[in-house]
Amino acid sequence: MNRGNGPGPHRSPVILVVAPDERSAEVTIEGRTRVVTGATPKETRRAALDVAAGYAAHLGTSVLINSRDANGAWQLIISPTGVVRAAGGTEVELTAGRGAKAGRPRRGRRVLMAAAGGTLAVAAVAGGGVVAVRMLPDITATRVDSAEDPAVTLEGRSAPPGFTTQAAWRLPTLPGTRPGVAPDGGAAAYVDPEERLTVVGPDGAELWSAELPLPAGDIEGAPTFVSDGDAYGLAVTGSGRLWLWPPSGGAPDEFTLPEGSRVTFAGASALVLGDGRALVPDDGGLRPIAMPSGYGAMLADPGRVLTAVQDGPWRWVGLDGETTEVEPEPPDGAGDLAEVLTARSRYVIVRWVAEEGDQALLAVHDSGDGSVVARTLVDPASLADARWLEGGSVAAYGPVVVDLDNGRATALEGFVPTSAAGDRVYGEAAGVPVAVGADAEPTDLPADVVRPWGLLDGRAVVIADGDLYALTPQ
């Protein structure tokens, strides 16, 4: 096995393409493409190089990278320890996120770094010549490989509103992967640098870990917590299969998915949809649900599935076939029910025809009894690509921000939500990154802010430079 400076033999180069807006990049390795994103152009490039570094470390040999963005194309070589250099040029002793250690001395040539526009430019000075290399990240901050160090600080990034840059702990993850957080804030799951699925508690201590049953790059989405009795198990999908681990870990149940099907976790349980059928994992197999005629399945909760038609009541269907119909209560000012838009375990979002004017009336209904939780008038065109994002006390559907505690909904013109956690929804308003609370007043965010994946016992779970942090509240 080649462990020198050159790329290993007979290996296809990594293809790295940065999108024109520099918010995402495609990294193609052995024919498989992974999309990574970043809040800033520099973060996007860091995330892309982290994926390439992980591949080199997995092979134990340097790999060639064919990279390009709006400014041009070039070649890099990245070593198993994360050292990046221009192909055929001078070595640059910078890490791409995997091999950096606190206090490691840097050998060799002096490195000059400068941000030029949206592209990170690096100049390696050697023998009077200058080699310009794009795509290289900052030197990685000190990594904490356990949760034992109480003095951990988020460096080089801004904390989200309501949190500090002080963290209860920091743990390394496999670059390019995403974490999951349990709905009750009692556990977080992630893939570690050794490609092990790891679950930790609020104190960062490992609860259990397991070997992944598939390559990390084949995981679809993030590990997802699902209801299992009075606790939460963990689900992973990919390569046409679904795996479910019990709350205490151990051996997972494996389910082969029907061809062309997909898995949704809109409810507290996994629901398999495809070819007009709905199936749920049950007793080691996939159990079909007897749906009412004309109805479609929307989500699964333990022991039951929510089904609906476009413009009528919805029905909960039990595994035994028993059906409970829920008739939604018309909100004030509503005419006919226009469309059932989407649903979650506790809520069904419905568009009603407004009795007056040309706006739509959006209402959030209790999924159990159909009562109105919140309602507001909204431009129907703004709902075209909307999706429901739910935090702890605040949610959003398109530009509509919903205070779930006090039953208020507000249409915030120009707001495009991207995520939700705790008491805030994150997104953009007029192209500016913002956080929106229950009052529907947007707060501008720094471009380098980290956004929470969820709250773990009140701490914000974020990823920065490939590390998982639990940021303490203010």
Side-chain angles (χ1 to χ4, degrees), residues 154-310:
L154 177 69
E155 297 178 352
R157 301 291 297 275
S158 298
F163 297 89
T164 72
T165 56
Q166 298 300 310
W169 44 263
R170 175 175 61 174
L171 297 167
T173 71
L174 182 68
T177 58
R178 296 163 47 189
V181 181
D184 64 354
Y190 66 97
V191 179
D192 71 14
E194 284 70 47
E195 299 200 12
R196 290 183 61 84
L197 184 63
T198 304
V199 178
V200 297
D203 59 357
E206 182 179 307
L207 299 178
W208 60 267
S209 64
E211 295 290 340
L212 281 175
L214 76 169
D218 291 346
I219 295 177
E220 297 174 359
T224 303
F225 286 91
V226 292
S227 182
D228 188 337
D230 295 330
Y232 288 97
L234 198 64
V236 167
T237 60
S239 301
R241 286 170 291 176
L242 163 69
W243 291 269
L244 294 175
W245 282 265
S248 58
D253 290 330
E254 180 178 339
F255 305 87
T256 299
L257 304 177
E259 185 175 355
S261 65
R262 63 184 179 89
V263 183
T264 175
F265 297 101
S269 301
L271 174 65
V272 180
L273 299 172
D275 195 25
R277 296 190 302 162
L279 307 99
V280 295
D282 181 59
D283 195 25
L286 292 175
R287 180 171 179 172
I289 300 298
M291 291 188 295
S293 177
Y295 279 67
M298 300 187 75
L299 61 86
D301 274 352
R304 62 178 188 169
V305 171
L306 177 63
T307 67
V309 291
Q310 180 175 345

Side-chain angles (χ1 to χ4, degrees), residues 314 326-331 348 352 364-373:
W314 53 88
V326 180
E327 184 76 41
E329 170 191 338
V348 176
W352 296 80
V364 180
H365 294 264
D366 185 288
S367 65
D369 60 19
S371 60
V372 177
V373 176

Side-chain angles (χ1 to χ4, degrees), residues 371-400:
S371 60
V372 177
V373 176
R375 44 86 65 195
T376 190
L377 293 171
V378 62
D379 180 358
S382 67
L383 303 179
D385 298 317
R387 59 193 178 105
W388 179 255
L389 297 171
E390 185 177 335
S393 60
V394 178
Y397 186 79
V400 177

Side-chain angles (χ1 to χ4, degrees), residues 17 65 69 71 77 81 108 138 194 200 262 345 356 408 447 458:
V17 181
I65 304 174
D69 65 7
N71 297 304
I77 291 175
T81 58
D138 287 335
E194 284 70 47
V200 297
R262 63 184 179 89
S345 292
E356 298 181 2
R408 292 192 298 266

Side-chain angles (χ1 to χ4, degrees), residues 125-139:
V125 182
V130 176
V131 180
V133 184
R134 301 173 192 264
M135 296 294 300
L136 299 182
D138 287 335
I139 298 171

